[in-house]
Amino acid sequence: ADVEEAGRPYPDTHYTASIIMPPHGGCSSHKHFDADAKEADQDHGATLYPMVDIDKVKGLNESKTGAAKKVIKPWDKRKDDTKVVRSVEGDGELIIHIPFTVQVKFKSFTIIGGDAGSAPKEVKIWKNRDDIDFETAEDVKCDQKFNLAYDKDGTVQYLVKMHKFQNTSSLTMLFTGNFEEKTTQINWIGLKGVGTKNKHGIVQAVYEARPVESDHKKLADHHVSKGIK
């Protein structure tokens, strides 16, 4: 069951409460919601917007090249529906890769979609995997998966398992579809956490763009990271 409680708003807002959604597990089932909420310790972090390398944000299957950059914007611009990203017509899947200028401790996120039909209903998240595309996403286990609620105001925060998102240089989000439309629309992605003084790209590993079957378990188990060059 979902948990609702008073939450800490973004630093530059004036509303008093938000809905806090506990983790919906990793890419496999997970039911210990109380433990996950306790892990978050009610500290959902500050906005990570200043630490996003916006010029390097990229989308896959976006209807207009470069549109994914437009949804990374300040809180007070979250309802600007002139700057959105849409998937191509007839295909509701969308991937957005979000690099940071420094390593961060990623704690929570908020998504504002289009209308009730085109808003995304599920997201899979990978840490430090800038190689993820629609093919590799089938082979490499995500770090966490969430069912999303329709949220037109940006008041629903999703808490991640923080032990999985320490030393985060980038996030890759795969939106697997929407509620009832042929096109998925995202208006705003809000990220929260804590920045560090460590520049990204310190930890690097070499791996194949399309790992062979024997490598899949190793990649999933060890969450191989690749620094952004």
Side-chain angles (χ1 to χ4, degrees), residues 2 29 31 43 61 64 68 71-72 99 129 134 136 161 229:
D2 291 336
S29 61
K31 300 180 180 179
D43 181 8
N61 204 39
K64 184 177 180 180
V71 302
I72 309 297
R129 291 302 303 249
F134 293 104
T136 56
K161 297 178 182 178
K229 297 182 179 179

Side-chain angles (χ1 to χ4, degrees), residues 48-111:
L48 295 175
Y49 171 74
M51 301 165 205
V52 175
D53 194 344
I54 294 179
D55 288 341
K56 294 183 180 178
V57 173
K58 62 183 179 181
L60 297 179
N61 204 39
E62 53 187 351
S63 61
K64 184 177 180 180
T65 302
K69 296 180 175 67
K70 298 179 180 180
V71 302
I72 309 297
K73 47 195 172 188
W75 165 266
D76 59 355
K77 303 294 184 182
R78 72 193 186 283
K79 292 187 178 182
D80 180 359
D81 59 6
T82 66
K83 297 181 179 180
V84 303
V85 62
R86 299 182 181 91
S87 64
V88 298
E89 183 67 29
D91 186 347
E93 291 193 324
L94 186 65
I95 289 178
I96 300 180
H97 175 68
I98 306 170
F100 298 98
T101 56
V102 296
Q103 291 183 345
V104 303
K105 297 177 181 178
F106 176 48
K107 294 187 175 185
S108 65
F109 67 96
T110 303
I111 303 291

